[in-house]
Amino acid sequence: MTTTKDTKMTEAEALRADLELTRRHLADTVQELTRQLNVPRRIKESAATAGHRAVQAAGTAGGRAVQMAGTAGERAKDGAKNLPTRAKQMPATAREHPKAAAAVGGAVALGVGAAAWIVGRGR
C-alpha cells in the first residue's frame, strides 16, 4: 500500500510542477501582450530608434557633403575660368539643339513672368 501512496504523491507533485510551469508561461505571455499593447511606450521606442538612425545618417551625409564641397569648389573654379568660352559657344549649341534651347528660353520666360506676377500681387 505504501507504493500506491508514493505513486499518488509523485503524480500530485508532477501535477503541481506542471501547474507552476503553466503559470510561469502564462505570466510571461501576459507580460509580452502588455508590452505589445503599450502603444505610447512602443512609439517612444520606435522614435528613439528612428532618432538614432537619423543621427547616423546625418553624420554619414555630413561627411559626404564635406568631401563633395571640396570637389564642387574645384569644379566651380574650373567652370568660372571657362565661362567666357562657354558663353561664346551658346549660339552654336542652340543651333545644334533647337528644342533644348526653346525649352530653356521658355523656362526663363516663365520664371520672369512668375516673378513679375508675384511682385505685382504684393502692391
Side-chain angles (χ1 to χ4, degrees):
M1 283 204 166
T2 56
T3 11
T4 310
K5 282 186 177 180
D6 289 341
T7 307
K8 286 185 180 180
M9 291 299 283
T10 306
E11 288 177 18
E13 289 174 0
L15 286 173
R16 283 189 185 110
D18 188 40
L19 181 61
E20 183 60 31
L21 183 65
T22 303
R23 284 181 183 162
R24 287 183 190 161
H25 181 67
L26 182 60
D28 291 342
T29 304
V30 168
Q31 283 181 341
E32 181 63 23
L33 287 172
T34 302
R35 188 190 69 76
Q36 288 181 359
L37 293 175
N38 190 350
V39 175
R41 180 176 167 214
R42 288 179 58 204
I43 289 173
K44 287 179 184 177
E45 289 173 355
S46 296
T49 302
H52 292 302
R53 283 192 308 233
V55 167
Q56 289 174 347
T60 303
R64 288 182 186 164
V66 168
Q67 288 176 340
M68 294 304 292
T71 305
E74 292 170 8
R75 288 183 187 168
K77 288 177 186 176
D78 292 341
K81 291 176 186 174
N82 296 330
L83 188 60
T85 307
R86 288 186 181 178
K88 291 176 185 174
Q89 294 173 350
M90 284 307 295
T93 304
R95 280 191 295 272
E96 291 174 15
H97 306 286
K99 290 180 182 177
V104 169
V108 169
L110 180 65
V112 169
W117 179 70
I118 290 172
V119 169
R121 274 184 50 201
R123 289 183 187 178

